[in-house]
């Protein structure tokens, strides 16, 4: 083989070796955890150099210009690809420069590589060259071309020079960092490459008569860099070996080195973990340091060898294991096995971490979660002390709390002895180990605790040798008690057991807090915050339990509902603060009059309740008398004036009573019947007491039936109107009063006195009142269209609730406008109660109505307040004398009251109408007294519309 080709082939072999060698080094270092990418980059550079040299040999041996140019094109392309990678290699090796600079140089080279592929003859040859045969002294002949390098070739050389200059700068900075040998090697390789590269350009330009040497420049660059990397590799391995040994010795976890399943080395932490010296560990197998069986029941030796084999063949192994110290004690561990190569020997590194405390804590948490958390109260604490005994392998465990009245005394909540719950005890803290625990910190006495506390009788009685106690705190870190574990033998690893006991103490504290919170919530839920009496919820619960007890014992009970008589006036007039203070004092008075057997409650607003049962099993009459006596005592004590600062307040109370089971078999019935009795008591006057009677239920049922039927009557238009004429002294019909009638399908004709109060209580009065107003106006329009000779007015009764409606005035105006009724044809009749609820508002509404032309009549005058003070201010047109006064008229007696009413009306320019005139004598007397208009059966009963039409045809109408 020709010499130049032989040398180039040898150099290619060196490059191939370097490619493989540094690729392996990269993989090795990566496996060891300290590899860097510059090893991989350099392996790629060696591969590119190998290809570049191959294309050079083929070009030299070629005798055909086309083949020569093609090989030279690949050479220039590979050269540029070399300098795509080279700047990145230098940057990763030296960490000098910026990523942006390296990226620019690399991209420039990549662009030129692509351009080289695109051009027919690469970067340095613009046209097919003329080959020149170069013959050397040793008679070897190679092909060369002699063509001036074009502009593209100059750009390519400029890029290579830029990459070399950056490399020289990086080598210089590298030198400053005391890496002298590495920097010199890198500099030498770069300088050698640049010299050979320039000489090669001169050869092809015909300016230098010698062999082209640039291919050897790559070899020199690679050789110098290979030496540099090899030195670094050796230093890294040595440094990492030193680091590993230092970490091996200083590691907190126990570390073994195993070869063929036997321990050949160990660190100091391993010796401390197994409580032995190095000679006691070396030569043993993991199976010899473990119990015969593991957690899963597998034989230890076989399981250990399986894990070691898996670590060698499959990679790192992580698992839990139980070890046995040389003194026979067991401990839990987490183990990691890794394969390592030492002096060409395949070994296994084992890292062992003692997790006994963590596992005990986990078991404690699991025990609490699984066995305790689903329980409450006594069962919770009993299960807790049982679990403590099992976890610690101790005979005794107890949980105690500080005595509420004596903070130096502990009362146990649960005591465990050998797994059996014992009777709770109390003991003094003084001169006991518990004195150092309560409110302070966890205390441990692994042995001889009796000698340390000789005055503690409990330790002697129980034969206690070892003690561990943890304090229990609440959320504010206030002491609650303690958790204690005791045994009649020494406790090993008692210090490691501390966290477990503290977990239990924390959980016990949480449970005590929960119990306290539940008690507080129950107090809030069942107690009235103002009077501190029970509330409605507590009354329901107590009444339910008392009902069950009376049924069980065949006895009876009584429920009293107490309502304050004048509380609303006090609350509205003197403020809610004064009202609250009155309620507090009432609660105190009720507590004072009731004995311990009476359950008292405030059930809302100014309403209270008292309930008790017949514990003496008295006769019904005697027990009823006892209930009435209690009611009388309550009304008496509440009648006494209450003094608040300088105020003297009188309240009093009304009481309704229901007995059970006589007045109801259920809680709901008893409450409802007592409320009915209270309602009747209030209707009969203040300070009244009423016992429930069946007739009350009948009245309520009737009321409900009326309410139900009234709603249906409104929907189905079952109501009707009657008209009672009003006649003056000349016998003329001046008008008629509209009277509402209702015929119930089952109850028959129902008097307005029965259904109007129900309508007012339920709010149905608004719909009924509007219906009456609309129907009255509609009837007036109908009579007018029919040509009925009736020129008078219709008097329409207005309820107090209807008049209080803010839209009442507008509703009247709308009805008159809808049916085209003249306002003077309508008179609105109101009672005194409707006008006195809000006097100023009533005056404003009446004036608006009168402004429209509507007249106002005051109905039932004389039965209410009849105060001239309001009468003179109200814009009223008509006074109607109530029938009660007319019934008392006698021919031979004076009637000063009726006479005064009539005179008052005339004096105030009001028309006076007498209602309920049934006899001629009454009519004559009223006429003599000056009354000019009458209404009553003497003239006509209330008539339906058709009968009224006929009546209107027979009576004179006033002249218009």
């Amino acid at each position: 083989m020709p010499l130049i080709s032989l040398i180039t082939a040898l150099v290619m072999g060196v490059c191939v070796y370097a490619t493989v060698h540094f690729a392996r080094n990269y993989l090795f270092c990566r496996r060891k955890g300290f590899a860097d990418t510059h090893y991989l980059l350099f392996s790629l550079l060696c591969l590119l150099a190998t290809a570049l040299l191959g294309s050079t040999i083929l070009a030299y041996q070629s005798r055909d210009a086309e083949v020569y140019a093609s090989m030279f094109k690949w050479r220039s392309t590979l050269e540029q690809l070399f300098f795509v990678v080279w700047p990145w290699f230098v940057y990763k090796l030296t960490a000098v420069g910026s990523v942006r600079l390296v990226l620019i140089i690399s991209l420039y080279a990549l662009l030129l590589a692509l351009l080289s592929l695109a051009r027919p003859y690469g970067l340095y040859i613009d046209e097919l060259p003329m080959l020149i045969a170069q013959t050397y002294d040793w008679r070897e002949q190679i092909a060369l071309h002699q063509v001036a390098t074009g502009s593209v070739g100059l750009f390519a050389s400029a890029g290579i020079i830029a990459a070399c200059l950056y490399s020289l700068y990086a080598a210089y900075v590298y030198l400053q960092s005391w890496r002298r040998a590495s920097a010199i090697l890198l500099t030498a390789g770069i300088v050698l490459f640049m010299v050979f590269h320039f000489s090669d350009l001169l050869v092809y330009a015909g300016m230098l008569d010698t062999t082209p040497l640039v291919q050897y420049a790559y070899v020199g660059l690679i050789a110098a860099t290979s030496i540099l990397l090899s030195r670094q590799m050796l230093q890294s391995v040595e440094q990492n070996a030193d680091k590993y040994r230092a970490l091996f010795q200083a590691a907190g976890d126990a570390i073994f080195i195993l070869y063929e399943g036997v321990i050949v080395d160990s660190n100091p932490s391993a010796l401390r973990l197994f409580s032995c010296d190095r000679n006691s560990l070396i030569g043993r197998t993991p199976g010899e340091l473990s119990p015969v069986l593991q957690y899963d029941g597998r034989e230890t030796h076989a399981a250990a060898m399986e894990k070691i084999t898996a670590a060698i063949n499959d990679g790192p192994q992580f698992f839990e294991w139980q070890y046995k110290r040389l003194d026979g004690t067991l401990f839990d561990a987490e183990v990691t096995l890794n394969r390592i190569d030492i002096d060409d020997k395949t070994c296994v590194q084992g890292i062992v971490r003692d997790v006994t405390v963590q596992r005990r804590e986990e078991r404690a948490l699991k025990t609490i979660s699984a066995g305790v958390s689903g329980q409450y109260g006594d069962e919770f604490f009993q299960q807790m002390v049982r679990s403590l005994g099992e976890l610690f392998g101790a005979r005794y465990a107890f949980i105690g709390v500080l005595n509420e009245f004596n903070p130096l005394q502990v009362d146990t909540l649960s005591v465990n002895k050998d797994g059996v719950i014992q009777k709770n005890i109390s003991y003094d803290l003084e001169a006991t180990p518990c004195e150092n625990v309560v409110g302070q910190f966890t205390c441990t006495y692994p042995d001889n605790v009796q000698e340390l506390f000789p005055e503690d009788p409990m330790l002697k009685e129980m034969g206690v040798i070892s003690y561990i106690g943890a304090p229990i705190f609440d959320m504010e870190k206030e002491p609650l008690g303690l958790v204690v574990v005791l045994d009649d033998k020494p406790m090993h690893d008692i210090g490691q057991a501390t966290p477990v006991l503290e977990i239990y103490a924390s959980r016990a504290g949480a449970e005590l807090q929960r119990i306290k919170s539940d008690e507080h919530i129950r107090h809030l839920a069942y107690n009235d915050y103002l009077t501190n009496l029970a509330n409605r919820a507590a009354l329901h619960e107590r009444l339910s339990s008392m009902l069950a007890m009376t049924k069980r014992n065949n006895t009876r009970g009584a429920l009293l509902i107490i309502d304050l008589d004048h509380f609303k006036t006090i609350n509205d007039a003197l403020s809610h603060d004064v009202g609250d203070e009155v309620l507090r004092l009432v609660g105190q008075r009720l507590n004072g009059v009731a004995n311990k057997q009476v359950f008292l409650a405030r059930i809302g607003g100014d309403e209270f309740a008292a309930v008790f049962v017949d514990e003496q099993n008295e006769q019904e009459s005697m027990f009823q008398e006892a209930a009435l006596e209690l009611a009388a005592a309550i009304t008496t004590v509440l009648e006494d004036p209450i003094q608040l600062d300088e105020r003297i307040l009188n309240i009093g109370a009304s009481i309704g009573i229901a007995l059970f089971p006589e007045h109801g078999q259920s809680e709901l019935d008893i409450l409802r019947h007592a409320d009915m009795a209270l309602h009747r008591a209030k209707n009969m006057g203040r300070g009244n007491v009423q016992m429930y009677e069946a007739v009350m239920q009948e009245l309520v049922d009737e009321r409900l039936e009326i309410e139900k039927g009234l709603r249906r009557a409104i929907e189905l238009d079952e109501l009707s109107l009657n008209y009672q004429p009003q006649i003056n002294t000349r016998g003329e019909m001046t008008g008629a009063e509209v009277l509402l009638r209702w015929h119930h399908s089952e109850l028959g004709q129902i008097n307005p006195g029965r259904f109007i109060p129900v309508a007012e209580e339920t709010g149905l009065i608004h719909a009924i009142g509007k219906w009456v107003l609309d129907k009255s106006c509609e009837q007036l329009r109908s009579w007018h269209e029919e040509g009925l000779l009736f020129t008078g007015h219709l008097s329409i009764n207005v309820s107090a609730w209807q008049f209080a409606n803010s839209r009442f005035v507008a509703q009247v105006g709308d009805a008159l406008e809808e049916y085209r009724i003249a306002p003077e044809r309508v008179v609105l009749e109101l009672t005194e109660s409707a006008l006195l609820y809000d006097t100023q508002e009533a005056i404003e509404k009446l004036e608006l109505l009168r402004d429209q032309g509507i007249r106002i009549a005051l109905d039932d005058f004389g039965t209410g307040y009849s105060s001239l003070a309001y009468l003179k201010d109200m814009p009223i047109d008509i006074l109607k004398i109530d029938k009660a006064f007319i019934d008392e008229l006698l021919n031979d007696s004076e009637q000063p009251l009726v006479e005064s009413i009539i005179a008052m009306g005339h004096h105030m320019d009001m028309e006076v109408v007498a209602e309920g005139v049934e006899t001629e004598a009454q009519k004559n007397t009223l006429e003599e007294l000056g009354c000019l208009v009458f209404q009553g059966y003497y003239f006509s009963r209330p008539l339906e519309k058709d009968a009224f039409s006929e009546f209107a045809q027979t009576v004179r109408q006033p002249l218009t």
Side-chain angles (χ1 to χ4, degrees):
M1 176 181 282
L3 181 60
I4 292 177
S5 298
L6 179 61
I7 293 173
T8 304
L10 292 174
V11 172
M12 284 178 64
V14 172
C15 291
V16 170
Y17 172 78
T19 300
V20 176
H21 175 73
F22 283 101
R24 290 181 60 192
N25 283 352
Y26 168 75
L27 295 175
F28 172 79
C29 293
R30 183 177 182 182
R31 195 163 55 245
K32 294 300 181 182
F34 56 90
D36 206 343
T37 54
H38 60 265
Y39 290 109
L40 183 61
L41 292 172
F42 188 73
S43 176
L44 181 57
L45 288 172
C46 294
L47 181 63
L48 290 171
T50 302
L52 188 149
L53 291 171
S55 63
T56 301
I57 292 175
L58 293 175
Y60 287 167
Q61 298 300 322
S62 175
R63 295 296 178 263
D64 181 85
E66 285 286 350
V67 175
Y68 179 90
S70 177
M71 292 299 103
F72 215 85
K73 172 182 176 179
W74 280 108
R75 173 179 154 170
S76 63
T77 301
L78 292 167
E79 183 179 62
Q80 293 303 319
L81 290 176
F82 184 90
F83 282 99
V84 170
V85 180
W86 174 260
W88 290 107
F89 166 73
V90 174
Y91 177 74
K92 291 294 183 181
L93 177 68
T94 64
V96 176
S98 65
V99 173
R100 181 178 296 180
L101 173 63
V102 173
L103 185 61
I104 290 172
I105 295 172
S106 181
L107 288 176
Y108 184 79
L110 179 61
L111 181 63
L112 289 171
L114 295 174
L115 183 60
S116 177
L117 287 173
R119 285 168 60 87
Y121 307 114
L123 297 175
Y124 298 102
I125 302 175
D126 294 332
E127 57 187 18
L128 191 65
M130 179 71 71
L131 297 184
I132 302 172
Q134 177 77 32
T135 304
Y136 296 99
D137 294 341
W138 55 88
R139 297 182 179 179
E140 181 179 357
Q141 189 179 67
I142 64 173
L144 295 175
H145 71 276
Q146 193 168 355
V147 180
T149 302
S151 58
V152 177
L154 294 176
F155 278 116
S157 297
I160 295 172
I161 292 170
C164 291
L165 290 176
Y166 161 69
S167 302
L168 287 173
Y169 169 73
Y172 171 76
V173 175
Y174 204 44
L175 182 64
Q176 306 303 311
S177 64
W178 302 97
R179 301 177 183 270
R180 188 177 302 276
S182 298
I184 291 173
L185 283 170
L186 182 61
T187 302
I190 295 168
V191 170
L192 182 63
F193 175 83
M194 293 180 69
V195 169
F196 282 8
H197 184 74
F198 281 115
S199 69
D200 201 41
L201 292 176
L202 293 175
V203 169
Y204 288 114
M207 299 173 64
L208 186 64
D209 184 18
T210 184
T211 302
L213 300 175
V214 71
Q215 61 269 23
Y216 305 119
Y218 287 98
V219 177
L221 185 60
I222 287 174
T225 309
S226 296
I227 297 170
L228 182 155
L229 292 180
S230 297
R231 285 172 53 85
Q232 281 192 350
M233 180 69 178
L234 182 60
Q235 291 173 359
S236 296
V237 171
E238 292 175 351
Q239 289 173 359
N240 278 280
D242 292 340
K243 289 180 182 178
Y244 174 79
R245 193 65 193 177
L247 291 173
F248 180 80
Q249 293 295 325
D253 293 329
I255 302 177
F256 300 104
I257 303 298
L258 298 102
Y259 178 65
E260 294 183 350
V262 177
I263 298 174
V264 296
D265 198 0
S266 64
N267 68 346
S269 294
L271 303 181
R272 288 191 296 271
L273 179 61
F274 284 90
S275 304
C276 63
D277 56 24
R278 191 170 183 276
N279 292 332
S280 300
L281 283 182
I282 303 303
R284 291 181 178 269
T285 64
E288 295 178 85
L289 299 174
S290 309
V292 176
L293 299 177
Q294 283 301 310
Y295 301 117
D296 56 3
R298 297 181 63 191
E299 195 275 324
T300 291
H301 180 75
M305 293 309 298
E306 180 183 316
K307 295 292 184 182
I308 292 171
T309 303
I312 293 173
N313 298 329
D314 304 328
Q317 301 292 307
F318 178 81
F319 54 92
E320 294 188 2
W321 196 262
Q322 190 173 46
Y323 281 102
K324 182 177 66 176
R325 296 185 179 90
L326 297 185
D327 62 2
T329 59
L330 301 175
F331 66 91
D332 301 323
E334 290 178 347
V335 181
T336 303
L337 297 182
N338 294 290
R339 170 179 170 169
I340 60 173
D341 296 321
I342 301 176
D343 298 333
D344 295 329
K345 293 180 180 179
T346 300
C347 300
V348 172
Q349 172 189 264
I351 302 174
V352 179
R353 176 173 297 175
D354 186 356
V355 293
T356 303
V357 175
Q358 293 94 311
R359 294 297 174 265
R360 182 179 288 175
E361 291 177 4
E362 289 171 4
R363 287 197 296 273
L365 289 172
K366 186 179 294 184
T367 302
I368 291 176
S369 176
V372 176
S373 295
Q375 300 170 346
Y376 301 95
D378 292 342
E379 291 183 359
F380 174 90
F381 295 115
Q382 289 172 7
Q383 182 58 40
M384 181 171 275
V385 293
R386 288 194 193 97
S387 299
L388 282 170
E390 293 174 4
L391 282 171
F392 286 85
R395 292 194 65 191
Y396 306 100
F398 71 82
I399 297 172
V401 295
L402 293 175
N403 186 282
E404 182 180 357
F405 305 102
N406 182 6
L408 296 179
Q409 178 178 307
V410 167
D411 302 323
T412 63
L413 296 175
S414 186
V415 180
N416 170 64
K417 177 184 178 183
D418 297 328
V420 179
I421 300 301
Q422 306 294 311
K423 183 179 179 180
N424 283 315
I425 60 172
S426 297
Y427 68 93
D428 294 331
L429 289 172
E430 189 175 359
T432 70
C434 296
E435 185 179 12
N436 298 329
V437 176
V438 173
Q440 299 184 57
F441 43 78
T442 301
C443 291
T444 59
Y445 302 99
D447 201 355
N448 301 319
V449 66
Q450 284 192 44
E451 297 178 9
L452 297 173
F453 298 91
E455 298 180 13
D456 187 342
M458 185 174 66
L459 298 181
K460 293 180 181 178
E461 181 181 342
M462 299 167 66
V464 173
I465 300 297
S466 53
Y467 173 105
I468 177 171
I472 301 175
F473 295 98
D474 63 13
M475 294 180 65
E476 285 74 34
K477 296 301 180 183
E478 292 295 324
L480 295 177
L482 73 169
V483 179
V484 176
V485 176
L486 313 96
D487 205 357
D488 56 3
K489 62 182 182 299
M491 289 190 198
H492 294 289
D493 300 327
I494 198 169
Q496 295 179 346
T498 299
V500 176
L501 195 65
E502 289 174 347
I503 290 173
Y504 272 75
S506 176
R507 184 65 184 87
E511 179 64 13
L512 290 171
Q513 284 284 92
R514 187 196 64 77
I515 292 172
K516 184 177 179 181
S517 297
D518 284 352
E519 291 174 352
H520 179 64
I521 291 171
R522 181 176 178 81
H523 179 80
L524 293 177
Y526 288 95
N527 282 71
D528 174 53
Y529 74 97
L530 193 60
T531 62
N532 206 32
L533 297 177
N535 61 11
R536 179 178 287 275
L539 173 66
H540 281 284
E541 189 175 275
R542 179 59 66 91
L543 187 56
S544 178
S545 65
M546 285 185 171
L547 264 172
M549 183 176 70
T550 56
K551 291 177 182 178
R552 187 170 57 251
N553 300 335
N554 196 25
T555 57
R556 58 183 54 83
L559 170 66
L560 286 69
I561 296 184
I562 306 149
D563 187 85
L564 303 185
D565 284 338
H566 302 288
F567 179 75
K568 187 177 187 303
T569 303
I570 294 172
N571 211 32
D572 293 343
L574 302 179
S575 82
H576 292 286
D577 290 339
V578 174
D580 288 348
E581 186 60 29
V582 169
L583 292 173
R584 278 193 288 269
L585 293 174
V586 167
Q588 292 176 10
R589 290 191 179 187
L590 291 176
N591 265 322
V593 75
N595 59 38
K596 293 182 179 180
Q597 283 71 42
V598 177
F599 179 81
L600 294 171
R602 178 187 172 214
I603 56 179
D606 61 341
E607 210 167 71
F608 296 80
V611 60
F612 66 99
V613 296
D614 178 12
E615 296 184 348
Q616 306 299 324
N617 201 13
E618 298 174 345
Q619 294 181 354
E620 180 181 349
S621 59
M622 294 181 64
F623 183 70
Q624 181 174 328
E625 187 65 28
L628 291 171
E629 286 178 1
L630 176 60
I634 291 173
T635 55
T636 300
V637 77
L638 293 182
E639 284 174 355
D640 291 341
I642 292 177
Q643 182 168 357
L644 291 178
D645 297 329
E646 297 179 356
R647 297 188 182 94
I648 302 295
L649 305 176
N650 293 292
I651 46 172
S654 299
I655 300 177
I657 305 173
L659 305 179
F660 52 90
E662 290 88 345
H663 297 156
Q665 299 290 327
S666 69
E667 176 190 343
L668 181 62
D669 286 341
I670 296 165
L671 284 166
R672 187 161 51 85
H673 292 162
D675 198 57
M676 289 179 190
L678 173 65
H679 186 71
R680 184 173 183 182
K682 294 183 75 68
N683 288 339
M684 295 182 68
R686 308 295 182 178
N688 199 282
V689 176
Q690 288 293 312
M691 184 81 68
Y692 171 77
E693 297 176 1
V695 68
M696 297 178 185
Q697 183 65 55
E698 294 174 5
L699 293 174
V700 171
D701 292 342
E702 180 185 280
R703 181 193 175 282
L704 291 174
E705 185 65 27
I706 289 174
E707 178 185 345
K708 178 181 175 182
L710 197 55
R711 292 182 186 277
R712 185 178 65 249
I714 295 172
E715 294 175 2
L716 302 179
D717 199 21
E718 293 180 350
L719 300 174
S720 63
L721 297 179
N722 283 2
Y723 308 91
Q724 187 171 31
Q726 294 174 346
I727 309 296
N728 64 15
T729 55
R730 294 189 298 272
E732 299 169 338
M733 186 169 67
T734 60
E737 181 179 357
V738 179
L739 299 173
L740 182 62
R741 294 294 182 261
W742 176 31
H743 184 82
H744 192 277
S745 58
E746 296 178 3
L747 301 178
Q749 195 71 29
I750 300 178
N751 190 288
R754 290 172 62 191
F755 72 78
I756 290 297
V758 175
E760 290 179 335
E761 290 178 19
T762 58
L764 294 173
I765 193 63
H766 297 290
I768 293 174
K770 187 176 185 306
W771 182 87
V772 170
L773 178 63
D774 289 342
K775 283 294 183 181
S776 299
C777 293
E778 181 184 7
Q779 189 60 61
L780 280 173
R781 169 52 50 187
S782 176
W783 283 332
H784 175 74
E785 292 175 350
E786 292 171 2
L788 178 67
L789 187 60
F790 173 57
T791 60
H793 63 266
L794 284 183
S795 293
I796 303 170
N797 288 284
V798 177
S799 164
W801 290 98
Q802 184 183 2
F803 183 70
N805 191 322
S806 60
R807 281 195 42 79
F808 175 71
V809 175
Q811 287 176 354
V812 174
D814 292 344
L816 294 177
E817 182 179 355
E818 181 180 355
Y819 296 103
R820 304 187 304 281
I821 303 300
E824 59 269 16
R825 299 292 304 277
V826 173
V827 173
L828 299 179
E829 293 192 9
L830 296 99
T831 61
E832 292 176 83
S833 60
L835 300 177
L836 296 181
Y837 181 76
D838 188 333
T839 305
Q840 186 58 41
E841 183 181 351
I843 292 173
E844 293 174 359
K845 287 184 177 180
L846 293 177
E847 288 178 344
L848 290 173
L849 291 168
R850 291 185 74 188
D851 289 344
Q852 295 181 36
I854 299 169
R855 289 187 296 163
I856 306 300
L858 183 59
D859 195 15
D860 299 336
F861 183 75
T863 61
Y865 292 92
S866 304
S867 171
L868 292 176
Y870 85 83
L871 190 60
K872 69 181 180 64
D873 294 327
M874 293 286 180
I876 297 172
D877 302 289
I878 301 171
L879 281 182
K880 298 190 73 175
I881 304 174
D882 187 74
K883 182 179 183 298
F885 298 113
I886 305 302
D887 290 342
E888 295 177 359
L889 288 176
L890 298 175
N891 292 331
D892 57 350
S893 65
E894 296 181 356
Q895 301 297 329
L897 184 57
V898 174
E899 184 177 359
S900 298
I901 293 173
I902 295 172
M904 184 190 308
H906 290 167
H907 180 74
M908 300 181 72
D909 295 327
M910 296 180 187
E911 180 181 323
V912 178
V913 178
E915 292 185 300
V917 179
E918 298 182 351
T919 66
E920 184 178 2
Q922 290 175 335
K923 181 258 184 186
N924 293 334
T925 301
L926 289 167
E927 190 171 355
E928 290 174 1
L929 293 175
C931 183
L932 304 178
V933 182
F934 315 99
Q935 176 184 337
Y937 283 6
Y938 176 73
F939 300 96
S940 174
R941 289 177 175 274
L943 303 172
E944 296 182 0
K945 63 178 181 177
D946 293 338
F948 181 80
S949 298
E950 293 177 3
F951 180 83
Q953 303 295 332
T954 64
V955 70
R956 289 188 299 170
Q957 300 294 321
L959 296 176
T960 56

